[in-house]
Amino acid sequence: MAVIYNRVALIGLGLIAGSMAHAMRAAGLAGEIVGYARSAETRAIARDLFCDRVTETAAEAVVGADLVVLAVPVGVMGEIAAEIAPHLAPGATVTDVGSVKGAVVEAVGPHLPAGVHFIPGHPMAGTEYSGPRSGFATLFQNRWWLLTPPEDTDPAALARLRELVESLGARVDTMDVAHHDLVVAVVSHVPHAIAYTMVGVADHMRRVSQSEIIKYSAAGFRDFTRIAASDPVMWRDVFLSNREAVLDILGRFAEELFVLQRAIRMGDGEHLHAYFSRTRAIRRGIIEAGQDTSAPDFGRSVDQAAGASGNVR
Ligand code: NAP
């Protein structure tokens, strides 16, 4: 494949940036990959594993870059944008990979100078691992990458970013920011909240010993623990910055839970059977859409062989 951007600056060098860099290198999509992260240790690992060059500051990293990718926790994007803004090359594209879009657009947008294209994005792929060693080239294969371009986005800049993302193996959809935040609240953020809560419940259950929880965890709990092992900083920021949509969906969840609770209390087997049949059909739809494997055990053995869980985040 041909080079799409001559110089890509990755700000933040964890799972997502590392995976992008591995995939860009594998396919020869970037002339040079320059990286910056907060700690010297992360920068050193990234230089060894996937960056051509790392810099001591974010501002230095973006100099001369035609693509800048903000791949730090959502709560940090604004301050990074303020720092890099005066150093961005005219005509450069700035994108981000944050799991929330409204808060990022609000925090980043006002800092960016005219003549720089800001096209927010969100790769819906991830694992429960983080840090510069956790990335791998196939993370985005067949996963959705949502872009939320403002209405006046330059079509050529958008087409170029789309080409890069598709060359990383992802499928692109565009949507507006508010819709994005609602969709991810349903498919990702609230499921994470539920997993965190369920693991918390087990933690508080003194009648069930710690060793029993671990021993019998394959009964369903194990999959919650995997999700609940996700990075605490990232998820703190996700919930703080997508508060409205998350609270909306959590409210609906609580209502459904009450209905389910009542059906169980009343011994309403018909209701439970009909409800579980509908949810099973949704699972089938996900498999048919190629977003998970039909292998038993939630595809864990398959995913482990591939080195990734391919979670949607
Ligand atoms: P990660 O593996 O934890 O990496 C985060 C990177 O950001 C690290 O290199 C870290 O540097 C750097 N960083 C943190 N605070 C910083 C600061 N104040 N200044 C400069 N650098 C800083 O995170 P990730 O999973 O790649 O997530 C990055 C972004 O992608 C987040 O916005 C997240 O919402 C989004 N996202 C994540 C997933 C997922 O499943 N993980 C999926 C889709 C989107 P140090 O190592 O030096 O601390």
Side-chain angles (χ1 to χ4, degrees):
M1 261 183 254
V3 167
I4 298 172
Y5 292 97
N6 292 322
R7 184 178 294 169
V8 176
L10 299 173
I11 310 298
L13 299 169
L15 171 71
I16 300 295
S19 297
M20 288 182 73
H22 285 298
M24 285 190 287
R25 278 190 160 182
L29 305 173
E32 186 188 23
I33 300 173
V34 185
Y36 167 75
R38 177 176 49 178
S39 71
E41 189 192 350
T42 294
R43 295 196 294 267
I45 295 167
R47 195 186 43 232
D48 284 349
L49 295 183
F50 55 78
C51 280
D52 299 314
R53 190 158 63 82
V54 294
T55 60
E56 301 272 307
T57 65
E60 282 170 77
V62 306
V63 171
D66 42 7
L67 177 68
V68 175
V69 182
L70 306 179
V72 290
V74 167
V76 186
M77 300 256 182
E79 64 189 69
I80 296 277
E83 184 193 335
I84 62 173
H87 308 275
L88 292 166
T93 292
V94 175
T95 190
D96 76 291
V97 296
S99 307
V100 178
K101 296 278 59 84
V104 169
V105 168
E106 251 174 55
V108 172
H111 295 291
L112 301 185
V116 164
H117 310 289
F118 179 35
I119 308 176
H122 176 196
M124 298 192 62
T127 76
E128 65 274 35
Y129 299 106
S130 54
R133 293 190 194 280
S134 60
F136 54 97
T138 54
L139 177 65
F140 308 114
Q141 282 298 330
N142 205 28
R143 299 288 161 196
W144 286 103
W145 195 306
L146 305 180
L147 296 176
T148 60
E151 267 177 26
D152 59 352
T153 299
D154 176 52
L158 177 58
R160 196 170 167 202
L161 183 61
R162 178 189 270 268
E163 190 190 349
L164 177 82
V165 166
E166 287 176 345
S167 304
L168 299 176
R171 300 197 260 167
V172 174
D173 249 349
T174 56
M175 60 181 64
D176 74 50
V177 164
H179 189 67
H180 168 276
D181 287 356
L182 186 65
V183 168
V184 294
V186 176
V187 302
S188 168
H189 301 172
V190 170
H192 274 76
I194 294 165
Y196 280 123
T197 315
M198 191 57 228
V199 175
V201 167
D203 189 37
H204 286 117
M205 280 279 296
R206 298 290 168 230
R207 275 179 300 157
V208 181
S209 76
Q210 198 66 29
S211 62
E212 279 174 307
I213 289 174
I214 293 164
K215 191 164 150 195
Y216 303 126
S217 66
F221 184 69
R222 188 176 61 184
D223 293 294
F224 281 116
T225 62
R226 185 165 59 80
I227 296 174
S230 299
D231 189 72
V233 173
M234 168 182 158
W235 283 95
R236 177 200 64 195
D237 285 6
V238 165
F239 289 119
L240 292 180
S241 56
N242 198 20
R243 189 167 45 183
E244 254 175 61
V246 166
L247 290 178
D248 176 10
I249 303 303
L250 265 181
R252 289 163 193 258
F253 174 77
E255 285 169 22
E256 293 273 322
L257 192 60
F258 271 124
V259 174
L260 186 76
Q261 204 174 330
R262 186 179 157 77
I264 295 169
R265 192 185 310 285
M266 305 304 279
D268 188 349
E270 217 172 291
H271 173 93
L272 295 178
H273 187 269
Y275 195 74
F276 300 156
S277 300
R278 281 208 309 278
T279 55
R280 180 179 247 195
I282 291 176
R283 169 73 187 161
R284 270 195 219 112
I286 290 171
I287 293 164
E288 276 160 26
Q291 292 300 299
D292 204 353
T293 151
S294 62
D297 203 16
F298 286 1
R300 175 179 286 103
S301 47
V302 174
D303 287 335
Q304 274 176 348
S309 71
N311 287 351
V312 167
R313 294 293 155 86

